[in-house]
Amino acid sequence: MRYISTRGDQTPRRFCEILLEGLAPDGGLYLPERYPQVDAATLAQWRELPYHELAFQILSLYIDDIPAEDLRALCAKTYTAEVFGDADITPLRELEDGLYLQGLSNGPTLAFKDMAMQLLGNLFEYELGRRGEELNILGATSGDTGSAAEYAMRGKKGVRVFMTSPDGRMSPFQQAQMFSLQDANIHNLAIAGVFDDCQDIVKAVSNDLAFKRRYRIGTVNSINWARLLAQVVYYFKGWFLATGPQGGEVSFTVPSGNFGNVCAGHVARMMGLPIRKLVVATNENDVLDEFFRTGVYRVRGSADTHETSSPSMDISKASNFERFVFDLLGRDGSRTRSLFHDQIASTGQFDLSADPVFADAAGKFGFASGRSTHADRLATIRDTDRRFAVLIDTHTADGLKVAREQVEPGVPMVVLETALPIKFAATIVEALGREPERPAKFEGIEALPKRVVKLPADAERVKQYIAEHCA
Ligand SMILES: *Cc1c(COP(=O)(O)O)cnc(C)c1O
């Protein structure tokens, strides 16, 4: 399998070449040159496989530069019941007739990002070890991504993590999760500023090419292909759990921000998994819902980006969306480039409403969408608690609200549960008047010793810190 860029660069690259990279050199995103096809007979063979073996089967269709036995061992080491709390890894439970929740948030940091990041940690360690190289991951987080990255990379050989976060602005639970890690290769940098200041620092450091090369600076952001690929696996698992041996179609609803999660569903569907609809659920930051309703993709400014109670979906643009648009346009790289590079840069938007391909988004690719608000979240959390005695988090609530608008008789609808309620306790208290239950392993973490360094919002000081801790 070779990988190409969504902006027309056809230089074929293998999996391990793009594993440690972000964007392609032409500014596009990597995609496989074709989607391997999985037929009904293969699905039947895969139905009873344990999750880690299913992951190996799917990953091996895309990775041919890691020996099969090594890849199998990496998958087996990653997807264990000990780490994910359940033998199914992503267990399914039925809420009401035909409507299911698939739990993706039982990993170490209680959000779905663990599903991919845990594998990435093991792949990075493996590949860096093979090359005899080291990598210093520099990131910015307002919560979920940073903790998922740290828990995936902690104790890994050849990898250090320098994670900036806005000082005092994460929830006490999120701070405790990250800052209580005592691993020597994890560095928490609390920046005097807001999340944008942290992102600016990461950009400034990455733009200093000499520094970047000398200190081997890398990232683990959501456009990384390996992260997306790891997420493809749970759509297969969800389909197996929601269907009997006779198979049939299943729809998925995905609480969405950067379009990484639902893009993995798109890949699964392109491989031939019988997915009927892929429903994109957004919060008040409805860039994606607007596109699927109108054909207009309009990037928002920071004044137009709302701070909501499902904060991991508070995005102004959807960084993985370009992958889907490339497929929608029949894989026309120069057209994708003109939309994302030229039109977005000059006007902040593009409009496909008058283009015949826009109808394909729903017709050929199965996409639908919807939007949810703070009031919807509260109502959905209350309703789910009262009627089913199931406590869901705010992001999953956005998904469930939108899923109900898209259910079709006879087609199971699976809502992806993307975080556990304990991460967003304040809104749970607002909805229910009580604190969510805390998993035993997180009892009292706020009281643990914290390992964090406070720095001013100054890229030079962050560089200095990295240089001093890269020995
Ligand atoms: C990251 C995240 C999302 C959004 O996922 P995307 O891949 O960015 O669309 C939704 N819910 C939670 C809890 C998340 O952490």
Side-chain angles (χ1 to χ4, degrees):
M1 178 62 76
R2 299 294 184 270
Y3 292 87
I4 56 171
S5 163
T6 53
R7 296 199 183 168
D9 183 345
Q10 297 279 334
T11 316
R13 294 181 174 83
R14 302 179 81 181
F15 178 81
C16 288
E17 288 177 70
I18 66 166
L19 170 64
L20 304 169
E21 281 184 46
L23 293 174
D26 65 355
L29 281 69
Y30 288 114
L31 272 179
E33 61 189 351
R34 63 189 165 77
Y35 295 110
Q37 294 301 299
V38 174
D39 59 16
T42 310
L43 283 175
Q45 279 170 16
W46 287 357
R47 177 170 284 280
E48 302 301 331
L49 294 180
Y51 193 96
H52 62 87
E53 185 60 25
L54 178 65
F56 166 69
Q57 294 294 337
I58 293 170
L59 264 55
S60 23
L61 301 174
Y62 291 91
I63 304 176
D64 53 16
D65 50 353
I66 296 178
E69 282 321 303
D70 291 357
L71 186 59
R72 177 175 263 135
L74 289 168
C75 291
K77 174 171 151 185
T78 303
Y79 296 111
T80 66
E82 292 73 58
V83 173
F84 289 94
D86 191 290
D88 278 337
I89 307 297
T90 60
L92 197 72
R93 62 184 161 190
E94 190 166 25
L95 271 190
E96 61 195 29
D97 207 17
L99 185 62
Y100 301 84
L101 283 181
Q102 187 180 359
L104 307 184
S105 44
N106 302 310
T109 73
L110 312 183
F112 92 95
K113 293 190 174 65
D114 290 329
M115 293 302 307
M117 210 71 94
Q118 286 288 314
L119 181 73
L120 204 65
N122 286 326
L123 283 170
F124 274 22
E125 184 176 54
Y126 175 85
E127 181 60 15
L128 290 167
R130 242 183 5 174
R131 296 185 193 182
E133 288 178 11
E134 291 189 351
L135 186 70
N136 292 303
I137 294 167
L138 175 63
T141 189
S142 53
D144 290 347
T145 308
S147 56
E150 291 190 353
Y151 279 75
M153 304 296 167
R154 62 187 295 200
K156 293 279 184 295
K157 288 188 275 302
V159 190
R160 287 183 205 87
V161 177
F162 297 89
M163 190 58 65
T164 63
S165 61
D167 189 17
R169 286 175 189 263
M170 290 190 297
S171 76
F173 184 84
Q174 286 174 319
Q175 291 186 40
Q177 254 189 331
M178 288 177 55
F179 300 167
S180 64
L181 289 179
Q182 300 297 324
D183 306 76
N185 70 329
I186 303 296
H187 300 272
N188 288 303
L189 310 180
I191 302 295
V194 294
F195 175 63
D196 283 341
D197 296 314
C198 300
Q199 264 191 323
D200 288 346
I201 289 172
V202 172
K203 270 187 216 147
V205 176
S206 301
N207 287 339
D208 181 344
L209 294 182
F211 184 89
K212 190 178 171 194
R213 206 166 309 120
R214 172 152 183 219
Y215 290 102
R216 296 169 305 275
I217 303 293
T219 57
V220 285
N221 47 29
S222 80
I223 55 161
N224 181 288
W225 165 254
R227 273 182 70 177
L228 207 122
L229 178 57
Q231 294 167 184
V232 172
V233 179
Y234 52 71
Y235 286 88
F236 281 81
K237 185 70 183 178
W239 183 84
F240 289 128
L241 292 171
T243 58
Q246 73 289 352
E249 286 186 320
V250 173
S251 292
F252 287 88
T253 299
V254 187
S256 293
N258 275 318
F259 204 75
N261 197 351
V262 74
C263 194
H266 165 67
V267 171
R269 195 174 182 277
M270 296 299 281
M271 292 170 72
L273 186 69
I275 295 178
R276 183 170 171 81
K277 282 200 284 192
L278 285 167
V279 182
V280 176
T282 74
N283 63 18
E284 291 88 336
N285 297 292
D286 57 358
V287 188
L288 289 166
D289 179 43
E290 182 174 84
F291 173 79
F292 287 107
R293 277 187 297 104
T294 67
V296 176
Y297 180 68
R298 185 170 57 91
V299 168
R300 310 291 154 86
S302 50
D304 264 342
T305 308
H306 310 285
E307 248 182 68
T308 75
S309 49
S310 43
S312 302
M313 292 155 62
D314 292 349
I315 50 103
S316 52
K317 63 180 175 59
S319 46
N320 274 289
F321 186 54
E322 182 169 335
R323 287 193 159 107
F324 168 66
V325 171
F326 179 66
D327 284 344
L328 182 67
L329 298 176
R331 302 205 133 199
D332 181 339
S334 67
R335 201 152 168 230
T336 308
R337 177 176 190 82
S338 119
L339 294 185
F340 281 90
H341 184 262
D342 309 331
Q343 289 203 36
I344 297 265
S346 56
T347 65
Q349 63 175 66
F350 60 76
D351 181 354
L352 294 179
S353 61
D355 192 305
V357 298
F358 177 57
D360 289 346
K364 183 170 162 203
F365 294 98
F367 275 91
S369 73
R371 172 183 193 274
S372 160
T373 64
H374 182 67
D376 293 324
R377 284 188 278 286
L378 296 179
T380 307
I381 290 167
R382 263 186 223 124
D383 174 66
T384 312
D385 177 63
R386 209 184 48 230
R387 287 201 292 144
F388 313 111
V390 170
L391 194 54
I392 55 171
D393 98 292
T394 50
H395 306 76
T396 309
D398 287 329
L400 189 53
K401 185 263 180 183
V402 172
R404 284 213 167 91
E405 300 163 353
Q406 297 285 345
V407 170
E408 296 164 287
V411 183
M413 171 63 84
V414 174
V415 179
L416 299 186
E417 176 187 62
T418 55
L420 291 195
I422 185 66
K423 295 200 90 168
F424 305 97
T427 308
I428 303 299
V429 172
E430 186 181 346
L432 301 177
R434 65 166 205 269
E435 289 277 336
E437 213 179 283
R438 176 176 291 218
K441 63 182 169 183
F442 292 105
E443 250 359 297
I445 55 166
E446 287 91 341
L448 293 176
K450 292 192 170 51
R451 210 166 150 267
V452 56
V453 176
K454 293 188 194 233
L455 289 177
D458 176 354
E460 291 307 317
R461 291 290 299 280
V462 171
K463 282 191 211 167
Q464 190 190 339
Y465 183 90
I466 294 173
E468 286 165 8
H469 292 84
C470 272

